[in-house]
């Protein structure tokens, strides 16, 4: 790619036109009762500082249906780009050869046959400084497109004035057909080789490396798209675990168990690494690992009132990942008749995977408070007493339990309120009933509930 067209729709979710959205729903949904339900939801309004505010446009923020409705709305834009813009601005299969490059390569071959190796190498070096294809081929254009929510990115091979024209056509379509505006501050044309485009936290640019050769001896990296971790992201992530430029302990989790502290740090670090797994400079996250590890051992040292070297001596372990041994930390909790519970720090490789998928990521580790370890070790549903498929139900705040005011509170609500806990270990069946607000299919175990137990 030569140019990136970075796009951002200004206040997209707040600017969605209700009439246009409902018309688009009617294209495939022929149930006016359903359409009326969506319409009433869109116009329901909201309360702020005890004052009612009407919603004349936009979709409700925070609800599960908001991204669905916005994607339905923006599907028209997707169709415009893929069915009109891309065919219009795409032509030719490959660029024509650069005749100057071919002439130099032929000259180098001629000199090599004559035995003048030094002159041949000099001519070959000169050729390697220029592209093998005609970068200004007027019969070759390519346009690619990707969108996530209200952010989109187009890659274009062609002159800048044409890239600017594509940007203008996009702005006109959004304004006339969807009543949306491009953000002037976040929409611009970027040179793909000398600058970077920012999309979903990645820096994206065109690679240029003349020394990297493939099996066919061609410069295999030149012209390829590269994804990298922005340096500012590494610095921002490190700040959470630092104070005055140095790693620090995290006082807010000192009261947690060593098991929970390790799994909390590991889950946070692993989540960052897996998100940036497709970045070719993934190893820059080694700085974050060092900062987080120092913060981790300092947190454990603060908890147990001991020194950092003693923490390393107590928890150090060798962790095997993809056949490779890593040095890390480990906490193990034995369970009678079952596999032990294990929390580790380390063992997350920084190997670049250009085709990484979401499915490649390990299952997330559930976080909780200190007593959660003991409750998991009990291996029993805290509602019905079942030992089958245990999970953890959690709420954001204890005040969320008050939404049941004015009616009889379910037994599971009484249980959480009495114990003043935001988490509750339950079996899968009970968890599903709680999550979906259904009547509990299983009866309480009959245990007496004591506040603070």
């Amino acid at each position: 790619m030569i140019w990136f067209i970075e796009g951002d729709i200004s206040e997209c979710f707040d600017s969605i036109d209700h009439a246009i959205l409902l018309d688009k729903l009617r294209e495939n949904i022929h149930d006016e009762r359903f359409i009326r339900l969506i319409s009433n939801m869109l116009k329901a309004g909201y309360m702020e500082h005890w004052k009612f505010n009407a919603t004349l446009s936009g979709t409700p923020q925070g609800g599960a249906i908001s991204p669905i409705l916005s994607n339905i709305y923006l599907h028209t834009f997707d169709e415009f780009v893929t069915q009109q813009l891309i065919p219009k601005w795409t032509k030719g299969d490959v660029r024509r050869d650069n005749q100057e490059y071919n002439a130099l390569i032929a000259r180098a071959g001629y000199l090599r046959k004559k035995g003048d190796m030094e002159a041949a190498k000099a001519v070959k070096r000169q050729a390697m400084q220029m592209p093998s294809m005609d970068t200004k081929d007027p019969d070759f254009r390519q346009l690619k497109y990707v969108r996530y929510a209200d952010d989109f990115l187009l890659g274009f091979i062609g002159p800048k004035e044409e890239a600017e024209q594509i940007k203008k056509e996009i702005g006109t379509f959004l304004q006339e057909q969807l009543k949306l505006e491009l953000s002037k501050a976040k929409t611009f044309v970027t040179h793909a080789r000398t600058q970077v485009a920012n999309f979903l936290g990645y820096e994206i640019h065109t690679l240029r490396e003349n020394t990297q050769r493939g099996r066919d001896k061609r410069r295999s990296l030149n012209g390829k798209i590269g994804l990298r971790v922005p340096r500012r992201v590494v610095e921002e992530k490190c700040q959470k675990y630092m104070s005055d430029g140095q790693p620090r302990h995290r006082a807010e989790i000192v009261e947690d168990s060593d098991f929970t502290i390790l799994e909390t740090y590991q889950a946070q670090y692993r989540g960052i690494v897996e998100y940036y797994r497709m970045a070719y400079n993934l190893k820059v996250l080694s700085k974050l690992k060092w900062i987080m590890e120092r913060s981790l051992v300092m947190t454990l040292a603060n908890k147990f009132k001991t020194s950092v070297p003693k923490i390393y001596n107590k928890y150090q372990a060798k962790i095997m990942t993809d056949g490779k041994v890593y040095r890390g930390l480990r906490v193990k909790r034995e369970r009678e008749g079952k596999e032990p519970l294990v929390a580790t720090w380390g063992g997350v490789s920084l190997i670049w995977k250009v085709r990484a998928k979401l499915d490649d990521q390990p299952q997330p580790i559930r976080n909780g408070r200190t007593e959660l370890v003991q409750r998991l070790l009990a291996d029993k549903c805290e509602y019905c007493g079942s030992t089958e498929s245990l999970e953890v139900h959690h709420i954001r705040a204890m005040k969320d339990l008050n939404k049941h005011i004015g009616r009889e509170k379910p037994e599971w609500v009484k249980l959480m309120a009495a114990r003043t806990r935001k988490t509750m270990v339950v079996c899968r069946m009970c968890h599903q009933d709680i999550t979906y607000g259904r009547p509990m299919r299983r009866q309480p175990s009959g245990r007496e509930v004591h506040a603070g137990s």
Side-chain angles (χ1 to χ4, degrees):
M1 293 300 166
I2 298 179
W3 303 100
F4 287 124
I5 304 167
E6 301 179 61
D8 180 87
I9 300 173
S10 179
E11 299 180 348
C12 177
F13 296 105
D14 295 330
S15 303
I16 288 177
D17 186 276
H18 291 172
I20 295 176
L21 175 59
L22 294 176
D23 286 342
K24 295 191 177 303
L25 291 174
R26 288 190 178 96
E27 291 175 4
N28 293 290
I29 300 174
H30 308 296
D31 184 345
E32 279 302 316
R33 294 173 300 175
F34 179 81
I35 300 297
R36 188 164 56 251
L37 176 65
I38 298 297
S39 177
N40 291 337
M41 181 200 67
L42 293 172
K43 295 184 291 188
Y46 63 95
M47 296 290 292
E48 186 175 16
H49 303 303
W50 299 102
K51 181 181 178 181
F52 175 78
N53 295 270
T55 49
L56 304 178
S57 65
T59 58
Q61 297 294 302
I65 196 173
S66 181
I68 298 174
L69 293 176
S70 62
N71 271 324
I72 292 173
Y73 195 81
L74 291 174
H75 180 65
T76 304
F77 173 59
D78 297 336
E79 291 181 325
F80 166 71
V81 174
T82 57
Q83 297 177 14
Q84 296 186 45
L85 275 187
I86 290 180
K88 176 182 178 181
W89 295 100
T90 299
K91 59 181 178 179
D93 294 324
V94 294
R95 289 189 177 104
R96 63 190 181 191
D97 291 343
N98 183 348
Q99 297 304 320
E100 185 179 357
Y101 171 85
N102 288 343
L104 288 173
I105 293 297
R107 175 68 178 167
Y110 171 75
L111 292 171
R112 192 178 297 108
K113 287 181 180 179
K114 286 184 61 178
D116 193 347
M117 304 306 293
E118 290 300 320
K121 289 180 180 180
V123 173
K124 182 68 176 293
R125 283 195 298 269
Q126 183 182 352
M128 289 298 100
Q129 300 305 311
M130 62 179 64
S132 61
M133 311 299 287
D134 183 359
T135 58
K136 296 182 179 180
D137 184 353
D139 296 321
F140 182 80
R141 297 285 186 271
Q142 289 288 310
L143 181 63
K144 301 294 183 181
Y145 165 73
V146 62
R147 178 181 67 83
Y148 184 86
D150 59 338
D151 293 328
F152 61 88
L153 181 69
L154 292 101
F156 179 63
I157 295 177
K160 184 177 182 180
E161 55 267 23
E162 292 183 10
E164 292 285 357
Q165 178 61 29
I166 293 171
K167 172 186 167 184
K168 182 179 179 181
E169 290 182 22
I170 289 173
T172 300
F173 175 84
L174 289 172
Q175 188 178 57
E176 294 180 353
Q177 300 298 322
L178 298 177
K179 297 185 180 180
L180 297 174
E181 297 285 343
L182 284 177
S183 171
K184 294 182 179 179
K186 299 180 180 179
T187 303
F188 31 78
V189 176
T190 303
H191 192 267
R193 187 175 301 148
T194 60
Q195 298 170 290
V196 296
N198 292 282
F199 188 67
L200 302 183
Y202 276 90
E203 286 183 345
I204 306 175
H205 67 121
T206 299
L207 298 172
R208 182 176 178 83
E209 180 52 68
N210 289 331
T211 61
Q212 184 71 34
R213 304 295 179 85
R215 293 181 179 179
D216 57 358
K217 305 301 182 181
R218 291 178 176 271
R219 291 167 285 181
S220 56
L221 282 183
N222 280 2
K224 302 293 185 182
I225 296 298
L227 306 178
R228 70 187 188 200
V229 185
R231 292 282 179 175
R232 58 175 175 76
V233 168
V234 180
E235 298 302 322
E236 289 171 2
K237 299 295 184 184
C238 287
Q239 290 305 311
K240 180 179 179 181
Y241 308 94
M242 300 175 68
S243 178
D244 297 327
Q246 298 295 325
R248 63 167 176 84
H249 76 279
R250 293 179 60 190
E252 67 272 20
I253 62 172
V254 163
E255 296 303 319
D256 290 352
S257 68
D258 51 359
F259 184 98
T260 302
I261 291 173
L262 251 73
E263 75 170 14
T264 297
Y265 272 84
Q266 180 79 341
Q268 292 172 350
Y269 176 67
R270 184 177 61 190
I272 296 169
V273 172
E274 295 302 336
Y275 183 81
Y276 286 106
R277 182 63 71 184
M278 293 185 291
Y280 65 81
N281 68 334
L282 188 64
K283 291 187 183 297
V284 300
L285 293 178
S286 58
K287 176 181 178 179
L288 175 63
K289 180 182 183 297
W290 183 84
I291 295 292
M292 289 185 68
E293 182 171 316
R294 293 297 298 174
S295 174
L296 167 59
V297 294
M298 292 171 71
T299 300
L300 291 172
N302 184 276
K303 175 181 178 61
F304 295 111
K305 309 302 180 187
T306 186
S307 65
V308 166
K310 289 182 179 179
I311 292 296
Y312 274 114
N313 290 335
K314 179 178 179 181
Y315 294 100
Q316 65 183 347
K318 293 182 179 180
I319 302 169
M320 180 75 73
T321 302
D322 297 331
K324 185 175 180 180
V325 178
Y326 295 85
R327 294 175 60 185
L329 307 174
R330 178 185 290 127
V331 174
K332 184 181 290 187
R333 293 286 185 269
E334 299 293 341
R335 297 190 294 177
E336 186 176 351
K338 290 183 176 290
E339 291 291 324
L341 292 173
V342 179
T344 60
W345 163 260
V348 180
S349 73
L350 294 178
I351 297 175
W352 172 35
K353 292 183 181 179
V354 69
R355 300 188 183 277
K357 300 178 182 178
L358 185 62
D359 294 341
D360 297 335
Q361 300 185 23
Q363 292 298 313
I365 297 176
R366 297 183 183 275
N367 294 328
R369 302 302 296 172
T370 307
E371 83 283 352
L372 181 56
V373 178
Q374 284 74 35
R375 289 155 60 196
L376 285 171
L377 287 170
D379 208 19
K380 185 180 294 186
C381 175
E382 295 180 343
Y383 180 81
C384 70
S386 172
T387 59
E388 301 174 359
S389 303
L390 296 182
E391 301 176 352
V392 179
H393 176 71
H394 61 88
I395 57 177
R396 289 177 297 178
M398 292 300 296
K399 64 181 181 180
D400 291 346
L401 298 175
N402 294 332
K403 65 182 181 180
H404 299 276
I405 290 178
R407 53 185 169 131
E408 179 65 20
K409 292 183 179 180
E411 289 299 321
W412 68 267
V413 172
K414 295 178 182 178
L415 184 64
M416 293 188 74
R419 294 183 174 183
T420 60
R421 287 176 177 163
K422 292 191 289 186
T423 59
M424 184 171 161
V425 178
V426 289
C427 64
R428 181 168 298 171
M429 180 179 291
C430 290
H431 196 190
Q432 290 176 344
D433 291 342
I434 293 171
T435 300
Y436 296 111
R438 300 187 297 225
M440 303 298 288
R441 287 172 283 180
R442 289 178 172 169
Q443 298 299 314
S445 61
R447 298 189 306 273
E448 184 179 357
V449 177
H450 298 283
S453 62

